[in-house]
Amino acid sequence: MRKAPVSKRLIALSVAALAATPALAQGRPSTTAMSCAQASRLVTSQGAIVLGTGGQTYDRFVRDRSFCEPTEIARRAFRPTRDSAACLVGYTCYEPSPDDWPGSDF
């Protein structure tokens, strides 16, 4: 019996290695593939996680402000899920502008 050329064996091994890599096979979790409760629970359990939000868009969601940088604040994040057009998934962190602070006249 004749052995396959090295190039064919190398290709077969490469394909097998890629198929066995869960991160490449699974991709980023998407809010549109989950129910609102599932997406919210995932953010709560992870504390901070990057989720797809439809198509090629994604964002980092956090459980609370403790997962933001010290100079950032948390803003409620509503995103589409399988069962809701605007589900409160968690929060996103952002740098506030002077207009974001009540009573500030900068």
Side-chain angles (χ1 to χ4, degrees):
M1 186 165 160
R2 208 173 139 203
K3 288 186 178 181
V6 174
S7 60
K8 286 185 180 180
R9 281 189 286 177
L10 183 58
I11 290 172
L13 287 173
S14 298
V15 169
L18 287 175
T21 307
L24 293 174
Q26 292 177 358
R28 175 183 296 120
S30 176
T31 61
T32 59
M34 297 180 243
S35 69
C36 184
Q38 288 171 322
S40 176
R41 225 178 4 254
L42 184 59
V43 172
T44 300
S45 70
Q46 296 294 310
I49 187 170
V50 175
L51 297 173
T53 56
Q56 299 296 315
T57 62
Y58 59 92
D59 210 341
R60 178 178 181 263
F61 299 95
V62 297
R63 175 175 51 220
D64 55 55
R65 189 187 173 285
S66 69
F67 292 91
C68 298
E69 293 294 322
T71 59
E72 295 178 323
I73 59 177
R75 177 185 339 200
R76 293 185 301 168
F78 294 89
R79 297 297 187 274
T81 57
R82 189 177 63 225
D83 60 347
S84 174
C87 169
L88 177 58
V89 174
Y91 300 87
T92 55
C93 301
Y94 75 102
E95 286 287 337
S97 70
D99 297 333
D100 291 324
W101 299 105
S104 59
D105 296 324
F106 295 105

